Structures are given as structure tokens and as C-alpha cells.
Amino acid sequence: MTVSSNSHQQENGRFMTVMKDILARPSGRIGLTLVLFHILLALLSPSIAPYDFKLQNSSLMLSPPSGDHWLGADHLGRDILSRTLMGGREALLVTGIATPLAVMWGGFIGILFGLVGGRVDEVLMRIVDAFLSLPWILKMLVLIVTFGTGIGVLIPTLTFFYGIPVIRVARAATHDIIARDFVWAAKARGHSRISIIWRELLPNVLDTLMVEGAMRWSWMLLAFSSLSFLGFGVSPPTPDWGLMISDARGFMSFAPWGVIAPVIGLSSLIIGINLSADALAKALGIDRAQKAPM
Amino acid sequence: MSQTPFIDIKNLSVGYTSRSGKTIPVLRDVNLSIARGDSIGLVGESGSGKSTLALAAMGYFKRGLHVISGQVQFDGIDMLNISRNDLQHLRGGRLALIPQNSGQSLTPNLRIGQQITEALRLHSDLPANDFDAGVIDLLSQVRLPDPVGLTDRYPHELSGGQQQRVAIAMALASNPEALLLDEPTTGLDVTTQAHIMELLRDLAKERNLAMLYVSHDLGAIARVCNKVMVMYAGETVLTGSTKQVLLSPRHPYAHGLLASIPRLHEASLPQALDGRPPMPSETIIGCAFADRCKLADKTCHSSPPPLDRLDTGEAVRCFHHDQISQLNQKSQKSARSMPVAVDKDTALSLVNLAVSYTQPGLLAKLFASQDTPPSTVDRITIDIKKGETLGLVGESGSGKSTILKTIAGMVPRQSGNIILNQTEPLDTMVEKRPSAYLRQVQIIFQNPDDSLNPRHTIEQILAQPLRLYYGLSGAPLRDRSIAILEQVRLGAHYLERLPSQLSGGEKQRVAIARAFAADPEIILCDEVTSALDVSVQAAVLDLLDVLKRQDGTTYIFVSHDLAVVKAISDRVAVLYQGRICEIGPVAAVYSAPFHPYTDALLGAVLEPDPDVAPRLTADDAVELSPPKTGCPFQRRCPRKLGSICETDIPTMQEIAPGHVIHCHIPRADL
Amino acid sequence: MLFMLIRRVFLGGVTVCIVSLIIFAGVEMLPGDACTQFLGEYQADEELLAQCRKDLDLNRPPIDRFAEWTQGAITGDLGLAADGKTKISTIVGDRLKNSLLLAFCAMSVGIPLALLLGVISGLWRDRLPDIIASTLAIFAMTIPEFVSATLLILVLSVWLGWLPGIVLTSAAAPASEFFPEILLPVIVLSFVMCAHIMRMVRSSVIDVMASDYVQMATLKGVPYWQMVFRHALPNALLPAINVVALTIAWLLGGVVVIEVVFNYPGLGRLMIDSISDRNLPVVQSIALIVASVYVCVNLAADLLTMIANPKLRTMYMRK
């Protein structure tokens, strides 16, 4: 047995222990189930959905749930069940790409400046503060209104703005770790900077970043659906929960099913992510409640 | 135990419920009774359940713990079935606690005066307008200086010793009949500890208190207790008078524990007690100690021994308590009789080394530049020979760890030189040192939890120096790692484990193995045994000694524990406020003539022997920075000559070859 | 202490300066300017465009215009909106007043409630009150505001008819005219902010209740509630100050969605309308106001923590 395969086994072993710990908690079980369910749904919904999501049928306009249309139809007579099943695809795709990217670039910059320290670090932190002091919706809307909606704009925008708070978290975690004796021990042995960062720092900072990523994901979903709701996210007729809620709101008094179905879809996904993030944080020994939202 | 018991604990079992729903006991069928005027010491390693038992006497159990069976009575009152109101009245009233680590036990947002007033309001008959006087009276009773000024202070503004005294004052506020002390002097400096022990001893006598003293420190127990109870894995294994237990222990565990304590008057390493106590979750079939016991036989492993009462008054839980004398023969100490062959060559020279932590900030530069504080460490000149062990000893703030970190290149020098092997300068910080020098100097830290990367396996930890310095990989790397692990008496099966799966002693062995993997010339040991239990400490000291004999390594060994330093070192430097007071061969420094500070330190050591009393010479004031001129010890010195001590740096007096004392007192008077 | 204060205020000032730079540079970098927007389909007309740029002073170098803009902002003159006529301070003034009203109402309901619930669930950890409060908090934190707002309108306004579901009062109306229309947005906002603060307070209370000094107070015979109020809470609530500050900053700047759902004429809706209309001068001003509020509130929280924490207080005062 070689050493490298051995250390690999250890990582696997750790992954298994963390997974076991997550699944041992009710919040972890429920959360992961919900997330997995939504991911599967996003992949399979085009083939499961009973009707074409674009198909308008004026005779069905705002019709209540029935045997043919289990959740009724919306104001254009489209099948709500089919649209709800498919309503998370865009959101999952965009946030699923933007979240890891945001954590990566924010984490990279945060660790880098945490290590460099000094004046450069001070200046960067002021810039980070400045960005954080602007409301997220303003920052994003300015870009979206200028460059247009669509995945090509949404993914880079979300990635950029959601990476900024990650800088702070990664920098703080880096500061915590580099003060510890095992980093000093590695320095005193004369390991190269790269080796210290790669072997001593990263494995310990990654835990924090993983939890951070899970949280960012749920906040990004909130942001994405809010943008859709305001009409700046997905363009019709693509089905999206935020957009569906926004459309159905006007008819809420006599056709509440149009609101309720997408509400359940969106909420169950976000709750699932949050419960999983909670369980992950506990399994890794990081207290999530102490962190303030940005 | 002729008097009626005042605190009476009968057949108490306490446990917690594990995740899988099983009840896991931490105390098993424990009996304890304390009469008025009795002072009982409760001894055991961490995890033995001694603190749980002490808190149980107040009817208090930490969150998660519950009583499985048994009774707790205080003066006939059933503490387990008592109204909350009555309980509040007793706690801190007739029955007071002096906690471990007062720094964290005093509420941070309340002033000292407010906290003691609260105790007075709850538990004394004083009229409200006498509270202030009462507080000041209590603070002076515990011999705190400036009691009036102290009432306005917050806990964090006090030193550890002062906080402990405040906690004692608070306990005395109600004029209690029984005192529970939970490791009250752990973490304090020797002189402070000795002063507090004397205070407690006097209080107990004056007030005829019933005392329960929990400690792992047998020296402290010897000083204040007349009876001792030894606990192991949640059980009582031995009770008896302090003399009986400390001088002729009748239980193999107590015997081993006592043997593992380094003594001031012995020039040998203490005897290690191998193995570790069972975890609470392990099922114990026979005697809990059987796995570590040299006397154990088949019966010990199959059936639990009863607690036998002996004619002499002791109670022992052992089948073989009549064979203890065999242990004495078996354990003829592996005496460190032969000094290690010390080479003539110098391994490391410190020349006039000075270190300053206070770097003037921008504002200080602008406003008060002329007023620079004295260096944290100054005038350190020592030559360390190859193969020698140099002990650095002193209280907290003595600069001993700073010197070590400066040698390691973790702290910048202010001035002076560090020279390796007579020619190679180590003046730069660690990042700029050539890697050939780096290999030669390795450091072992105090706390292995912090010095081992929690995400690396033992194999990865050991591979780092082997790969870096020797370019090993694959099978040779693994073989070498196993060989090193075996040297520190850990097997190959440890390779795949993570530090969190090891006990404290095992982790420190891994840290030692990592240092030795580099095959260094010099190893810097920074309080390496302070975080460990005594029995584990003995094993680690023994290991360090064996390894050094094999490899001829040079050690610089920093510790606050004078007995430990004595056991392991060839030469000792006594430090105060970053300056050397006395340096010389171990035997010379630990015997007269003394520097007044050495004398104060040695006098304050509490020996686990009820017949040895400490001598308290200097007081235990805490100084934040060294004096600007003169002798560093001038402010606390009991033998201060006069203004010369404040103005002139003490002369170096060579008492014998290699034994130097820095003091103005003429040699004949020292 | 004074030095610390100056340093904090200075750093806050630096942050605001950087924000204004970001805002200005961000808007400069966007394609098009106020004139292309103002002229719309007429922008192809080079002559008109040039005239307009001359009128609006857009031909001067950006640095000059930035200096002028910041100078104006400091003196309270935010300049003119994109139409070149309306003063921004008049547009923004009413909206700011309305936003402050909403934030104030939400805070006075949400903060006390959050502290109370946090303390209760911390003290009764893992028992029924905690389980209920913590579960509700998870819902409040995870369900998007527009969802909870929509559901509340559906139940309280559409089905039960208790409260008006939408605000019809005009932006310039005095504060008193916003009742009872303001109640539903206040309920939603306090629900959301309550959840964040409550979770933080709960975990802080749990930490403090497990501390040595709380155990010591219990073993000193201090009655339970006295122990809670004198020994535990003053320490447990300290870390809440910063979360409360962040929440306040969020209330004053980021409640766009709620304002849109309830048609409430606050800064958030002005912001979104201005962005849609590409009224960039107004957007710049709002951004600057919101960022300054954020910095000030955080500064206030830091100072408050420093005063309330004896450790920090003595560190800066006695040294």
C-alpha cells in the first residue's frame, strides 16, 4: 500500500464519518432528502410533467384543481402541476453553478489576503466592507438592467457579489489557523509556503468554506427567486417559482392554488438546503447560528 | 471516623445517557463521609469522577448527568430531594464552593464588590449598609492588598492568584460550615499556590470547617488534608489518613501514582505508570485497574474486587493489597544515576540575547518616544554543550518560553546572537533560515492538540519531516515512520489514526516522534508535560530521557515545575522577568547557596509528603514588566540590600565552576 | 478610548469614501449615460446629444464630476435627477421618511420579540418552547419574504379581511396616514428580522448558561431568575448588538421586495423604479445614503459593544 492511496482512504474515511454524522441527525436526513428530491426532479421533470409547460388553453383559465389538472391552471390556462415540477430547474442550474464559483473565488482571495496581511489586507477589507454596505438588490439590478437578464448575466453577477462576503469568512478562518502551533511547527521545519498553505491551512479552512457554501447556496436561491419575482430573473414563458408566484398574486383571492403550489416548491428546497447546512455545520463542529447573515 | 458525618454520600452512582440510549456511569457506588473539622482530599486522574463527586455533595450535577442510585446528605438533609428554595439557601450558605479556574468562575460583567456583596446579601445577617465594610473585611481576610480599590475592579483586571483569593473571600462571606474545593490552585504559579494553600489551611483550622479538597496535585493535598480518598474510573479504590495513603499506599494504583510524581529531593526520573484508564463507556468486568496493574492475576480480570476495610483504618479495593511491598522491589527506579556523556563542544550559544515584545506603535512614536519599556528578555548568555539538557525554570512571565521561541525563530531578537555549532548564526526569523539549520533545531510544543494538524493522520504527520529532510517516499518512508513510532512506544497501527482518536499522552508522543524524525541536534521542549496527567507525564519524561541517550540529542527544557526540571536536566537556569538569576548544574542550583528567588521558588514547592512544610519567603505579587534598572527581583526580594539593588545590575558570582548567581548579596551570605 | 473612537470613525469614513467611488465608477462604466437615456430614440441625433451633454456638464473629466458630486453630497445637495429638472433631495426625502417609519415600526416590534424568544429558547433549550420557536425561525429565515408576504395577504387580507393588503397612501403623506396599511409589511419584516436575531441570542444564551460563572452563581445560591438577569443575560446579549445592527442596516436599505409586494412608497421602491428607468443620479444617491446608514449603524454597534463590555471598556480607559 502506498502512502498516497492511504491518505486518500483517510479522506474517504472522513467523508464517510461526516456523512454518517449528518444522517444521524433528523435535520440532516430531512434536509438531504429534500435537496436530493429537488435535484432529481430538476433532472427528470421534463419527462414526468404531464403537460407542456407553455401550452395555453383559454378554456382552462384559472380553473381549480381537477382530475385532469391536479393543481389547476394559471391565468393563461397553463397546467400548474407541470409548471411547478419544472419551476426549480433554472434556479438550481444558476445557483448550482454560481455557488461553488463564488466560494472558490471568495475563498481564494480571502485566504490569500489573510496570509499576506498588512496594508494591502487593510485596504482590501475596506473595499469588501464598502461592497457589503450596498444593498444586494441594487448592485445586481444595476448590472441586470444594463446587460439584460438570462443565465449569461445572472451567473457571473451572482458569483461576483456572493463571493465578497466569502472573502471575509475565509480571511478570518485563515487568521485563526495560521496562529496555531501546527502551522508554526511546519514553518520551523522549513516547509515551503505553498506546502504549508496546501497541507496545513487548506484542509482546515475548507471545512469552514463548505459550511459557508451551503449557506450561500440557500441565500442565493432566495435572491434568485426574489429577482424572478420582481421580474428581473427568468424571462417568460420559462416556468420559475418566483415568477409564478408573482403572476398568480393578482388572482389570489379567487385562485389561491396558483400561489400555493410554487410556494411549496420553493420553500421546501430552501428549507432542505438550510437543514442540510445546519447538519453539516454540526457534523464539522462549526456553530452556524453564531454567524450573522449579510 | 468517630464523629457523626456532616457530609454523607452513600452508594452514589451517577451517569449520563449516551446517544444510543445506554446509561453510562461516571460514578459507581461511591461512599464518602466528612465530619466537622475533617479535611478530605479527593485524588484521581482526569476523568476519574472526582469533580462530579464534589459537586454532588452540593446536590449539583452538570447538564446531562443524573443520579442512578444512592443518597447525598448534608447535616442530615437529603440533598437530592430538597426544595429549590432550601437548596439555594444551603449552597453558598452553609456549604460553599471554591471553584477551579476562578478567572472563568467570576461573572465578567460584575465588579468584585458587587459579586461579594451578592453573597453577603444572600447568606449573611449583615444589615445592608454594612455590606461595603463586610466586603472589605473579607478581602483583607484573604490577604489581598488594597481591598478598597479592589471592590471597583472587574475580574479580568486581576491576576490569577488574586482572582482565586476573591473566590475564597466570596465563599467565606456566608461563614460556611463546609467548604468544597475543586482544584483551586491548578494553573497558578508555585509561590502563589503555596500562599493560597497556607491561607486555606489556616482558615480550615480557625473555623473548624469540613473540607473536601479535589485535586490531582498530591502535594497540595498533603498540605491541607488529614484524610485522602483515591478514585479510579469512577470508583473509590483507597481511603485512609493522609500519612497512610501518601507514605505507604496500599493500592497498586495509588502506589503507581505516587511513584510517578517527580520529587525535589530525588535525582531520578519518576516511575511511569503505563496504560490509560478505561473510558466511561467501556464495560469493566473485573478490577478497573487490572490492565495496568503489575500484581494483576486471573481473578482481577474476571471479578471486581470489593472495598476491604483494613485493621489500620484504610479501605482498599484490591485483591492483592497485602502484596504491595512486592511493587517496591519490582520498581527499583531506573535511576538516572549516570549523567549523560556531555560533549565538550558547544551545540548552541546564546550571547547577550534580548527580546522585546513591545514595539512602539505609531502614536507612541509621536508622543512618548523617550519612554521605551525595558526588554521582555535581556542579558541571556548561555552555552549549551552537545548532549546536555538545559532546564529553564521560572514562573509565568519569566520569559522562558520567549527565549525558546526566539531560538526557534518564531519571535524576532532585539539584540544579541544565537549561534548554532559555534559557527552558524541563527539570527534571522525562521522563514529566512537555511534548511540545514532548520533540521538541526526542532521544537515540541506544550499542547499537542494545537501542534498536530487535526486533519492529518499520524502517518502524514510523521511523513512531513522525513520527506522534507530525507526525501523518503513509498515503502522506505513507511518503514521509517513505523520505526520512529515504535521508538516512542506506539505501534504501526497508529499510522492511520487522526490526532483526535488519541489520548493526550499518545498525542504528545507523536509530537515527540515528529521532532525526532528530523534527527535534530537540538530539541526545544516548551512545557511539554504541563497538559498531561502526572502518570502520563512520567512516561513522557522517561521517553525523552531514553531517546536522548540513544541519539545524544541536546534538549532545552522549559517548565514551571521545579521537580520536573530537576528530574530531566543536567543544568538549570532560573529566570525571573526575562533575566537569569542563577545558572548551574542541577545539584548545585537545587542546594545552598541559593539566589533569593531560587530559594523562594524551592521553598514554595509542595511535596506529596505530609511531613514536609513549605517555606514562604517572597510574597506572590505579580509584576507586569521588569524594573528598568538593577536586579529584576528587587521588588519582591525578601533580602533586598538597598538602593544598590534598584540601580545596579547584580554582579555575577561564580560559586563553583559553572554555578553562577546574579546577586549583590556577598557570596558568604547567600 | 478617545483614540479608539477616532480610529473607528475614521475607518468608517474611509469605507464611505470607497463606497462613493465604487458607486460613481460603477455608473460611469455602464454603457450609455444620462443623455442617451434622456433622449431615448433621439440619441442618434449627434447634435442634440452633444447639446444635452453640455447642458448636464457631462463633458468634464470624471474626476472633476466625482469631486463635485461628493462635495454636493456632503452639503446635502444631491443634484438633479435624470430629467435634469427635479431635485433628487425632494424625491428621496419623502421616501427616506417612509422607509424610516417602516423600519422603526418593524424594529420596535421585532427586536424586543427576538430578544425575548431567543432568551426563552436558550433557557428552555431542546424543550417545547425552544422547539416551536426554533422551527418557526427556520421557516422565517428560509421562506422568501415575498412568499410569506403573499401568504399573509392571502390569509389576513383576502380571506379574513382584517387588514388592508396593499398601501395606497401617497409617498408625501404624513406618517399617521400610513396606519393601518403599514401593519402587514411590519408583521412580515419583524417576522424575518426576529428569526435572525433570535437564533443568535439563543446560541449565545446556551453558551453563557454552560459557562463556569453561571455554574458558580448557581452554587453560590443565587436564585435562578436573579442568576439569569444579573449573571447570564448581560453577557449573553453582548454579541447580539452586532446582529441587531446588521438587521437595522438591512431594514433601512434592503427591503425592496416587501415594498414592492405591499406597494409601499419607500426607498426600496424608488430604487427599483429608478433602476428600471435608468435614472442613474437617483440610484447613485440612494446607494450612497444606504451605504452611509450601514456604516453608521455598524459603527454605533461597535461603540455600544465597547461601552457595554467591561473588558473592552477598561482596556481602552485604564491604559
Side-chain angles (χ1 to χ4, degrees):
Chain A
M1 202 194 312
T2 67
V3 178
S4 57
S5 80
N6 211 326
S7 54
H8 197 235
Q9 255 180 15
Q10 191 58 49
E11 275 307 306
N12 263 335
R14 181 175 151 82
F15 176 74
M16 289 313 289
T17 19
V18 169
M19 246 355 238
K20 259 189 202 156
D21 197 315
I22 292 178
L23 291 177
R25 299 165 195 279
S27 64
R29 280 198 299 272
I30 299 172
L32 276 187
T33 314
L34 281 174
V35 173
L36 274 180
F37 170 78
H38 273 287
I39 291 175
L40 277 179
L41 197 65
L43 292 174
L44 302 177
S45 53
S47 30
I48 300 177
Y51 296 94
D52 180 359
F53 66 88
K54 305 194 286 285
L55 189 70
Q56 303 185 1
N57 183 342
S58 50
S59 62
L60 282 173
M61 255 202 273
L62 299 171
S63 68
S66 65
D68 284 341
H69 296 272
W70 291 356
L71 297 179
D74 67 6
H75 61 292
L76 297 175
R78 297 175 294 194
D79 180 49
I80 292 178
L81 176 65
S82 305
R83 292 181 62 79
T84 306
L85 288 178
M86 295 183 67
R89 284 166 59 90
E90 204 88 352
L92 274 173
L93 178 71
V94 170
T95 57
I97 295 173
T99 308
L101 289 179
V103 173
M104 271 191 266
W105 91 261
F108 178 77
I109 298 285
I111 291 172
L112 189 72
F113 282 83
L115 288 173
V116 172
R119 290 275 151 80
V120 191
D121 180 46
E122 273 284 315
V123 171
L124 178 86
M125 285 326 285
R126 294 279 82 76
I127 295 178
V128 167
D129 270 353
F131 268 106
L132 290 178
S133 70
L134 292 166
W136 65 270
I137 208 155
L138 179 133
K139 296 178 277 198
M140 275 189 264
L141 281 188
V142 168
L143 289 186
I144 291 169
V145 167
T146 312
F147 297 107
T149 52
I151 294 182
V153 176
L154 280 174
I155 291 181
T157 310
L158 286 168
T159 301
F160 177 68
F161 288 117
Y162 276 77
I164 288 173
V166 179
I167 295 179
R168 243 200 199 176
V169 174
R171 178 176 167 275
T174 305
H175 280 189
D176 284 351
I177 300 292
I178 54 173
R180 292 186 58 182
D181 281 345
F182 63 80
V183 175
W184 272 113
K187 276 191 199 168
R189 275 196 306 273
H191 285 286
S192 65
R193 254 199 128 102
I194 305 276
S195 150
I196 290 174
I197 294 170
W198 187 249
R199 287 221 189 86
E200 312 290 338
L201 188 68
L202 268 188
N204 290 290
V205 176
L206 278 183
D207 279 4
T208 315
L209 285 184
M210 263 160 64
V211 175
E212 187 64 21
M215 285 195 288
R216 292 288 151 212
W217 189 19
S218 92
W219 290 340
M220 207 187 266
L221 260 170
L222 277 173
F224 180 87
S225 50
S226 301
L227 285 176
S228 289
F229 176 83
L230 293 174
F232 295 97
V234 177
S235 19
T238 318
D240 180 89
W241 294 322
L243 194 59
M244 286 169 73
I245 296 169
S246 168
D247 286 346
R249 250 165 37 89
F251 317 102
M252 203 156 56
S253 46
F254 47 93
W257 48 87
V259 174
I260 290 169
V263 160
I264 290 172
L266 180 56
S267 306
S268 62
L269 175 58
I270 296 183
I271 288 174
I273 295 174
N274 258 278
L275 290 177
S276 314
D278 253 350
L280 175 70
K282 281 184 187 146
L284 293 173
I286 297 167
D287 188 358
R288 212 191 91 151
Q290 292 281 8
K291 289 202 173 134
M294 300 283 183
Chain B
M1 321 222 166
S2 49
Q3 304 171 51
T4 48
F6 193 51
I7 295 175
D8 198 14
I9 295 176
K10 277 194 197 127
N11 306 100
L12 183 69
S13 294
V14 173
Y16 62 90
T17 309
S18 73
R19 252 197 199 178
S20 53
K22 266 201 330 191
T23 299
I24 307 223
V26 291
L27 282 183
R28 292 183 290 149
D29 200 24
V30 180
N31 286 287
L32 172 70
S33 59
I34 309 172
R36 276 173 208 271
D38 247 357
S39 155
I40 295 194
L42 205 51
V43 181
E45 289 173 281
S46 36
S48 61
K50 53 188 193 305
S51 290
T52 308
L53 180 59
L55 294 179
M58 298 186 93
Y60 183 87
F61 300 93
K62 289 215 155 112
R63 191 186 159 83
L65 288 177
H66 62 268
V67 176
I68 301 168
S69 61
Q71 283 187 331
V72 177
Q73 289 196 335
F74 172 74
D75 200 17
I77 304 162
D78 182 354
M79 296 292 277
L80 301 181
N81 298 295
I82 178 176
S83 73
R84 191 144 127 179
N85 210 1
D86 291 343
L87 199 57
Q88 279 161 9
H89 213 68
L90 282 178
R91 287 174 174 171
R94 300 178 62 193
L95 188 59
L97 173 81
I98 298 174
Q100 179 174 19
N101 197 349
S102 299
Q104 279 158 36
S105 295
L106 296 171
T107 308
N109 64 307
L110 297 176
R111 296 170 196 275
I112 302 300
Q114 290 176 301
Q115 304 203 33
I116 300 179
T117 307
E118 185 178 45
L120 285 172
R121 183 166 358 96
L122 290 167
H123 299 296
S124 77
D125 328 321
L126 276 183
N129 39 7
D130 286 358
F131 284 161
D132 288 349
V135 169
I136 289 163
D137 178 45
L138 282 166
L139 289 174
S140 23
Q141 271 188 54
V142 294
R143 290 162 218 165
L144 275 165
D146 186 22
V148 182
L150 217 57
T151 53
D152 272 344
R153 300 258 139 179
Y154 287 98
H156 70 269
E157 297 178 89
L158 273 54
S159 73
Q162 288 173 324
Q163 290 168 339
Q164 200 60 53
R165 279 164 202 257
V166 168
I168 296 173
M170 205 154 76
L172 295 179
S174 61
N175 212 354
E177 295 161 65
L179 266 188
L180 303 175
L181 302 104
D182 188 3
E183 307 249 14
T185 59
T186 306
L188 299 180
D189 278 326
V190 258
T191 48
T192 313
Q193 174 181 1
H195 276 93
I196 288 186
M197 294 316 300
E198 291 312 295
L199 174 67
L200 288 172
R201 200 179 139 91
D202 295 349
L203 286 170
K205 265 193 202 147
E206 274 168 33
R207 304 179 174 220
N208 198 30
L209 295 170
M211 275 192 6
L212 179 59
Y213 191 106
V214 179
S215 181
H216 66 278
D217 182 351
L218 288 161
I221 286 196
R223 198 62 200 133
V224 291
C225 300
N226 56 0
K227 287 180 192 156
V228 176
M229 174 161 140
V230 183
M231 297 196 59
Y232 188 78
E235 275 183 322
T236 310
V237 293
L238 176 67
T239 61
S241 74
T242 305
K243 267 201 176 147
Q244 286 170 329
V245 173
L246 295 187
L247 298 181
S248 54
R250 299 290 290 268
H251 190 279
Y253 169 65
H255 187 276
L257 191 63
L258 275 155
S260 68
I261 302 173
R263 314 276 175 128
L264 264 191
H265 53 83
E266 271 173 43
S268 60
L269 281 170
Q271 184 76 26
L273 187 60
D274 293 329
R276 62 163 158 180
M279 304 292 286
S281 52
E282 290 171 38
T283 334
I284 300 162
I285 299 161
C287 170
F289 187 62
D291 289 342
R292 300 170 76 184
C293 184
K294 292 198 175 91
L295 296 175
D297 58 15
K298 259 193 188 157
T299 7
C300 297
H301 287 285
S302 56
S303 57
L307 192 65
D308 280 343
R309 302 222 161 262
L310 307 185
D311 300 338
T312 45
E314 295 135 288
V316 185
R317 190 183 296 278
C318 179
F319 291 119
H320 307 297
H321 57 76
D322 46 348
Q323 296 164 35
I324 295 292
S325 51
Q326 287 181 15
L327 281 174
N328 286 327
Q329 285 144 27
K330 277 187 188 170
S331 68
Q332 272 314 309
K333 302 205 168 180
S334 59
R336 220 171 58 96
S337 46
M338 261 194 331
V340 190
V342 174
D343 217 301
K344 284 275 171 345
D345 291 341
T346 304
L348 187 80
S349 302
L350 306 179
V351 186
N352 236 333
L353 186 67
V355 184
S356 179
Y357 271 127
T358 43
Q359 281 177 348
L362 184 72
L363 262 208
K365 273 183 199 156
L366 283 176
F367 296 116
S369 52
Q370 71 277 21
D371 195 33
T372 46
S375 309
T376 318
V377 166
D378 203 4
R379 302 193 297 276
I380 303 292
T381 303
I382 308 174
D383 282 345
I384 301 141
K385 302 266 182 267
K386 281 195 173 142
E388 183 183 42
T389 299
L390 174 77
L392 296 182
V393 74
E395 293 170 299
S396 51
S398 65
K400 51 194 192 302
S401 287
T402 307
I403 295 175
L404 219 55
K405 285 181 177 152
T406 314
I407 299 173
M410 292 162 63
V411 170
R413 293 166 313 122
Q414 188 182 26
S415 61
N417 295 98
I418 307 166
I419 301 156
L420 183 69
N421 294 330
Q422 290 156 310
T423 51
E424 298 153 3
L426 289 184
D427 291 346
T428 49
M429 287 286 279
V430 69
E431 290 90 349
K432 290 182 182 147
R433 293 184 181 176
S435 98
Y437 295 179
L438 286 172
R439 184 193 61 79
Q440 294 184 52
V441 183
Q442 295 289 314
I443 183 163
I444 306 173
F445 294 89
Q446 170 173 5
N447 186 354
D449 283 327
D450 212 38
S451 67
L452 302 179
N453 190 329
R455 298 291 307 274
H456 286 175
T457 59
I458 306 309
E459 177 160 21
Q460 290 169 316
I461 288 168
L462 292 180
Q464 289 189 328
L466 292 174
R467 235 183 244 159
L468 181 72
Y469 299 131
Y470 300 102
L472 294 183
S473 62
L477 173 65
R478 196 176 156 79
D479 291 345
R480 183 82 190 104
S481 306
I482 293 172
I484 295 168
L485 267 187
E486 275 164 1
Q487 276 193 328
V488 298
R489 296 173 215 153
L490 297 173
H493 57 286
Y494 279 89
L495 282 180
E496 277 89 48
R497 298 199 192 169
L498 288 169
S500 57
Q501 295 164 315
L502 270 53
S503 73
E506 288 168 336
K507 277 181 245 180
Q508 198 57 297
R509 278 160 197 263
V510 172
I512 292 171
R514 179 174 65 183
F516 271 97
D519 195 18
E521 302 297 315
I522 299 171
I523 293 187
L524 310 172
C525 305
D526 189 5
E527 299 270 13
V528 289
T529 61
S530 311
L532 308 173
D533 267 321
V534 230
S535 65
V536 182
Q537 160 175 289
V540 168
L541 288 177
D542 185 53
L543 176 67
L544 284 171
D545 196 56
V546 169
L547 290 174
K548 166 205 172 109
R549 267 157 219 283
Q550 281 172 11
D551 298 5
T553 322
T554 309
Y555 288 150
I556 302 181
F557 193 95
V558 159
S559 177
H560 68 280
D561 187 326
L562 286 122
V564 167
V565 169
K566 176 164 191 203
I568 192 119
S569 313
D570 302 306
R571 215 146 55 95
V572 182
V574 181
L575 295 159
Y576 189 74
Q577 291 289 342
R579 279 86 175 142
I580 295 177
C581 292
E582 180 170 1
I583 181 167
V586 169
V589 172
Y590 280 70
S591 57
F594 296 117
H595 184 281
Y597 179 58
T598 316
D599 193 33
L601 278 181
L602 285 172
V605 173
L606 301 172
E607 292 263 7
D609 183 339
D611 299 330
V612 182
R615 287 174 299 112
L616 300 180
T617 55
D619 63 13
D620 62 332
V622 175
E623 301 184 63
L624 289 175
S625 64
K628 288 212 171 92
T629 53
C631 172
F633 193 52
Q634 53 176 278
R635 290 180 287 214
R636 282 174 67 191
C637 187
R639 303 181 60 190
K640 187 173 163 186
L641 293 176
S643 60
I644 185 171
C645 296
E646 290 166 17
T647 52
D648 293 10
I649 293 171
T651 39
M652 286 167 59
Q653 307 190 52
E654 184 146 25
I655 309 293
H659 182 201
V660 175
I661 293 179
H662 297 246
C663 187
H664 289 297
I665 302 172
R667 186 188 160 162
D669 297 341
L670 276 167
Chain C
M1 183 79 177
L2 186 71
F3 173 62
M4 201 58 213
L5 200 104
I6 295 170
R7 191 184 137 83
R8 286 293 165 97
V9 173
F10 173 75
L11 285 181
V14 170
T15 308
V16 174
C17 290
I18 297 176
V19 172
S20 51
L21 238 162
I22 293 175
I23 296 167
F24 195 83
V27 169
E28 279 300 305
M29 275 188 287
L30 294 179
D33 58 30
C35 281
T36 55
Q37 184 62 32
F38 177 57
L39 294 171
E41 55 200 83
Y42 300 108
Q43 63 175 279
D45 189 335
E46 293 287 341
E47 218 171 293
L48 263 177
L49 201 62
Q51 180 60 39
C52 165
R53 281 186 176 147
K54 205 180 152 211
D55 288 350
L56 290 184
D57 248 359
L58 290 185
N59 290 327
R60 290 161 57 204
I63 297 178
D64 283 6
R65 280 183 289 130
F66 176 65
E68 196 185 53
W69 178 60
T70 39
Q71 249 175 14
I74 290 167
T75 52
D77 172 21
L78 292 167
L80 298 177
D83 59 6
K85 288 174 223 138
T86 332
K87 283 192 94 177
I88 294 179
S89 24
T90 15
I91 312 178
V92 171
D94 283 336
R95 301 302 191 104
L96 184 61
K97 179 209 75 192
N98 294 341
S99 272
L100 285 174
L101 176 71
L102 183 61
F104 178 77
C105 293
M107 265 153 53
S108 43
V109 179
I111 294 175
L113 190 67
L115 296 183
L116 188 70
L117 286 179
V119 169
I120 287 176
S121 43
L123 292 178
W124 279 277
R125 174 187 177 188
D126 294 340
R127 304 243 286 279
L128 195 66
D130 176 34
I131 293 171
I132 294 173
S134 292
T135 314
L136 276 180
I138 288 209
F139 278 99
M141 279 171 63
T142 50
I143 298 177
E145 297 141 29
F146 63 88
V147 170
S148 37
T150 307
L151 289 179
L152 273 181
I153 294 177
L154 186 63
V155 176
L156 292 181
S157 177
V158 176
W159 289 348
L160 298 172
W162 289 354
L163 292 169
I166 212 161
V167 180
L168 296 170
T169 316
S170 75
S176 56
E177 285 183 24
F178 283 96
F179 289 90
E181 294 165 351
I182 203 175
L183 288 181
L184 262 183
V186 165
I187 291 174
V188 178
L189 283 178
S190 27
F191 187 53
V192 175
M193 67 182 283
C194 192
H196 287 296
I197 301 175
M198 185 223 119
R199 268 172 66 102
M200 165 79 220
V201 171
R202 172 183 180 268
S203 94
S204 172
V205 167
I206 287 175
D207 279 354
V208 168
M209 289 301 283
S211 71
D212 286 352
Y213 55 86
V214 163
Q215 179 185 315
M216 185 62 214
T218 307
L219 291 176
K220 202 168 122 185
V222 179
Y224 184 76
W225 287 109
Q226 192 182 330
M227 182 270 285
V228 168
F229 283 109
R230 248 173 91 91
H231 295 262
L233 290 191
N235 298 298
L237 294 181
L238 270 182
I241 295 176
N242 278 306
V243 183
V244 170
L246 279 177
T247 320
I248 293 175
W250 167 78
L251 272 181
L252 292 175
V255 292
V256 178
V257 178
I258 296 285
E259 292 189 359
V260 169
V261 172
F262 291 102
N263 194 38
Y264 186 87
L267 267 189
R269 257 194 49 224
L270 178 63
M271 177 157 85
I272 203 167
D273 291 345
S274 312
I275 292 172
S276 302
D277 301 347
R278 306 279 309 262
N279 195 341
L280 294 177
V282 177
V283 175
Q284 279 179 331
S285 308
I286 296 175
L288 190 63
I289 290 171
V290 172
S292 314
V293 167
Y294 176 94
V295 169
C296 290
V297 172
N298 276 302
L299 188 68
D302 283 352
L303 294 179
L304 198 61
T305 311
M306 228 153 72
I307 293 164
N309 185 342
K311 246 181 214 175
L312 294 174
R313 183 168 68 225
T314 51
M315 192 163 91
Y316 295 121
M317 283 178 72
R318 291 211 169 116
K319 257 188 190 169

